[in-house]
Amino acid sequence: MHWFTDSEYQKIESEIVIACVDTMLCDESGRILLGMRNKNPVKDWWLFGGRMSVGESYEDTLRRTLDKELGLSAGYTQFGILGPYMLN
């Protein structure tokens, strides 16, 4: 696998669309769990998630990022896709 330098990756980010999967985690009362991001594009309170890898499904990305960021694992039946959005 080839890893890009920071400058190469910045060039790639400026030239292509990057697909991400973000996750809204809610408890039984409807409260939403957010995390504080310290990186752009959204330095603020945000949902959990991350970039899709080549060949990954939405569900696979979701499972991988929730495990990485929160140590959570859950069955596919607990998730539903809301839809795409864009950040400029």
Side-chain angles (χ1 to χ4, degrees):
M1 178 178 284
H2 173 76
W3 294 101
F4 297 103
T5 65
D6 288 343
S7 62
E8 288 173 326
Y9 193 76
Q10 287 173 351
K11 175 72 172 160
I12 291 167
E13 281 187 314
S14 70
E15 301 291 331
I16 65 170
V17 174
I18 297 173
C20 294
V21 174
D22 291 326
T23 309
M24 184 181 299
L25 298 171
C26 303
D27 66 12
E28 295 82 20
S29 66
R31 294 180 299 179
I32 299 169
L33 178 65
L34 299 173
M36 175 56 86
R37 289 180 53 101
N38 58 8
K39 294 181 182 180
N40 283 321
V42 182
K43 278 186 156 180
D44 203 349
W45 292 99
W46 197 250
L47 306 170
F48 297 93
R51 293 185 194 107
M52 291 181 78
S53 295
V54 174
E56 232 178 9
S57 68
Y58 292 123
E59 292 87 358
D60 290 341
T61 303
L62 175 69
R63 292 173 72 89
R64 178 179 51 78
T65 57
L66 285 181
D67 181 51
K68 176 183 172 186
E69 294 183 8
L70 300 173
L72 295 177
S73 61
Y76 289 124
T77 58
Q78 295 173 288
F79 305 116
I81 296 172
L82 296 176
Y85 61 91
M86 290 178 56
L87 297 174
N88 293 332

